[in-house]
Amino acid sequence: MLITILFYIGIIAESMSCAVAAGRYKVDLFGVFFISFVAALGGGSIRDVLFNHYPLAWVENPNYVIVVIISAFIATRIIGFIQRLKFFFLTLDALGLAVFSVIGAKIVIGMGYGLTHAIIAAMITGSLGGVLRDLFCNTIPLIFQKELYAVVAMACGAIYWFAYPYLGEDIATMVTILIGFVMRMIAIKYKISLPIVTLEKENS
Amino acid sequence: MLITILFYIGIIAESMSCAVAAGRYKVDLFGVFFISFVAALGGGSIRDVLFNHYPLAWVENPNYVIVVIISAFIATRIIGFIQRLKFFFLTLDALGLAVFSVIGAKIVIGMGYGLTHAIIAAMITGSLGGVLRDLFCNTIPLIFQKELYAVVAMACGAIYWFAYPYLGEDIATMVTILIGFVMRMIAIKYKISLPIVTLEKENS
Amino acid sequence: MLITILFYIGIIAESMSCAVAAGRYKVDLFGVFFISFVAALGGGSIRDVLFNHYPLAWVENPNYVIVVIISAFIATRIIGFIQRLKFFFLTLDALGLAVFSVIGAKIVIGMGYGLTHAIIAAMITGSLGGVLRDLFCNTIPLIFQKELYAVVAMACGAIYWFAYPYLGEDIATMVTILIGFVMRMIAIKYKISLPIVTLEKENS
């Protein structure tokens, strides 16, 4: 129940901030919807296709698609407003990241897989939507350069996997989301990121 | 039967115009084949993977692949000729769009899905091939900026869904293809497109 | 057994040379891992999704993921060393290409498919990983411009299909890998490539 509400918050936050990002490129209204859809539901779709987990969430429940499109449409009407609320949306996005990652881990654990799979599924669900979005906008994916986005997603997968046998599914979910959310906000605040790999200097 | 002929016309038109488009970038002959394949059969493949509809059309019937490759090869031999016949190919492409979209809708309706799914499947089948093609050519996908391409695809899905219980599958197919084709030609002729979303001006 | 060892050599070679290539763009450590994973295991994953061959290799055996990540990490520590050994890695990559292609052909032949499918599966397994890698790095895929990469992969699929009824699976595998490897090395040495298709001059 709570996870459903959080999931809706996650896809709304994703599609709204994406719709704003899409405005940076010259795309039409359909492009905005499409990119928002990919960002909000693409990560979970890739996970389900790779792990053979059918039907996909939005095929089973097309309301998700409708919510994404309405959110993206509203976002295009209030772009200036959203830009002034940038921190609010960063916060929602951090929440969405944690929620998506935990959902990803829960699904593959429910299919009988172990720790490595939970980490990979959390990473795919939490961060691949953003990779796809950047692909379609023709830029090098931001998550390869951004503050710990994928690392937080993977951490959520691992934390949930260790926590749920002790705490039960519900409390483990809440605790993991909280930790993931805090990690992400700290990474944003202190601009913590992974080392950039470059060719120029030899590392050995 | 008629739909099969139209499908062949669709993939031939797609792969030929694609092969010409690929020539704008420095790609080799294999690249031309690959991009033509993706444009002609990629949308349907994504639909089948997302809706768990196996085997994919071209896996079941590899003749499609051979037709695409031969068409693309011929196109590279007669590029100048095709460019002079630009309007003829735009017409074939409009027909292909309508045919692909109706096929997409038919398949998911045949799997027991409803209106929303028919619209989404029509959109995926009719227009995602072009999105993939543009991705591989490293440009922002044209359909996000082009005259109503995806909108026509979605309209076909909806029209077919409303029409087939009354008109039967065959007549509904023909009527939908006709309407979709006319919509697309009108959009091209009058350069009708969706509003472009931009950041510069606030819309609210 | 031998094929498993060769497969490990293939994914190690792919992920190491990829990690070095990723350094040309400003990506962080996660980006390096992700792109290496896609290059080493992406082609096989696409093949399995398109041919409905579940579970994917790395889902069934997550050791592959760990090997890829460790190889990529080591590569980032010894970039200068790898660059001096460029020819050694080109050789490993040529071996990997042949191995991946044969594995792709074997899998779909094992599913009951024929020659066309063997060629397509070999092409997908051997060369799509590199296409994906280039997509994520935001360049026009190199294999569309590079020495016979995809052609060697397809040739491996065809050779294996013709050879295995006569030679048995094991010897056919070895022979095909050898021929594919030699083809690729010759193509590199003499810079043999497919004709580039361009718009400028009319070919007819």
Side-chain angles (χ1 to χ4, degrees), chain A residues 3-202:
Chain A
I3 196 100
T4 307
I5 295 172
L6 289 171
F7 181 68
Y8 272 107
I9 292 177
I11 62 175
I12 291 171
E14 273 311 307
S15 51
M16 291 193 110
S17 46
C18 241
V20 174
R24 242 170 270 148
Y25 308 91
K26 279 190 59 173
V27 298
D28 66 19
L29 205 51
F30 171 77
V32 169
F33 292 160
F34 185 84
I35 292 168
S36 298
F37 172 82
V38 162
L41 297 168
S45 300
I46 293 179
R47 177 203 61 222
D48 287 346
V49 167
L50 293 178
F51 285 93
N52 200 19
H53 181 260
Y54 288 99
L56 306 202
W58 57 268
V59 172
E60 196 172 28
N61 187 352
N63 285 343
Y64 296 155
V65 180
I66 293 165
V67 167
V68 164
I69 288 176
I70 292 174
S71 309
F73 181 74
I74 292 174
T76 64
R77 304 284 91 190
I78 56 168
I79 284 181
F81 184 66
I82 290 175
Q83 286 179 311
R84 277 195 299 274
L85 285 181
K86 203 180 161 200
F87 186 74
F88 175 67
F89 274 89
L90 270 180
T91 310
L92 281 190
D93 178 68
L95 189 61
L97 167 64
V99 172
F100 287 171
S101 306
V102 172
I103 290 174
K106 281 166 91 91
I107 284 175
V108 298
I109 289 171
M111 294 173 77
Y113 289 110
L115 176 61
T116 315
H117 293 89
I119 292 174
I120 295 173
M123 185 276 282
I124 291 173
T125 317
S127 61
L128 277 209
V131 172
L132 285 182
R133 176 198 60 205
D134 292 345
L135 267 192
F136 283 113
C137 290
N138 197 21
T139 59
I140 292 183
L142 207 57
I143 75 152
F144 297 160
Q145 309 168 319
K146 213 161 75 173
E147 301 91 352
L148 293 185
Y149 207 89
V151 173
V152 170
M154 290 189 287
C156 286
I159 293 167
Y160 181 78
W161 190 84
F162 282 112
Y164 87 94
Y166 302 102
L167 304 179
E169 286 200 21
D170 290 345
I171 297 180
T173 300
M174 292 307 111
V175 168
T176 311
I177 289 173
L178 187 68
I179 297 175
F181 174 73
V182 170
M183 280 178 72
R184 175 83 182 118
M185 295 309 286
I186 291 174
I188 291 173
K189 177 148 180 57
Y190 295 101
K191 297 189 193 305
I192 300 165
S193 56
L194 288 178
I196 299 289
V197 175
T198 48
L199 270 185
E200 274 67 62
K201 66 174 199 303
E202 195 184 324

Side-chain angles (χ1 to χ4, degrees), chain B residues 1-13:
Chain B
M1 180 60 199
L2 182 58
I3 197 100
T4 307
I5 295 172
L6 289 171
F7 181 69
Y8 272 108
I9 292 178
I11 62 175
I12 291 171

Side-chain angles (χ1 to χ4, degrees), chain B residues 20 23-32 34 49 54 56 58-59 62 65 76-77 79-80 83 135-136 138, chain C residues 49-50 52 54 113 117 123 128 131 135 138 140-141 143-145 150 154 194-199 202-204:
Chain B
V20 175
R24 244 169 269 148
Y25 307 90
K26 280 190 59 173
V27 297
D28 66 19
L29 205 52
F30 171 77
V32 169
F34 184 85
V49 167
Y54 288 98
L56 306 202
W58 58 267
V59 173
V65 180
T76 64
R77 303 284 90 190
I79 284 180
Q83 286 179 311
L135 267 192
F136 284 113
N138 198 21
Chain C
V49 167
L50 293 179
N52 200 18
Y54 287 99
Y113 288 111
H117 292 89
M123 185 275 282
L128 276 209
V131 172
L135 267 193
N138 197 22
I140 291 184
I143 75 151
F144 297 161
Q145 309 168 318
M154 290 189 286
L194 288 178
I196 298 288
V197 175
T198 48
L199 270 185
E202 195 183 324
N203 300 58
S204 64

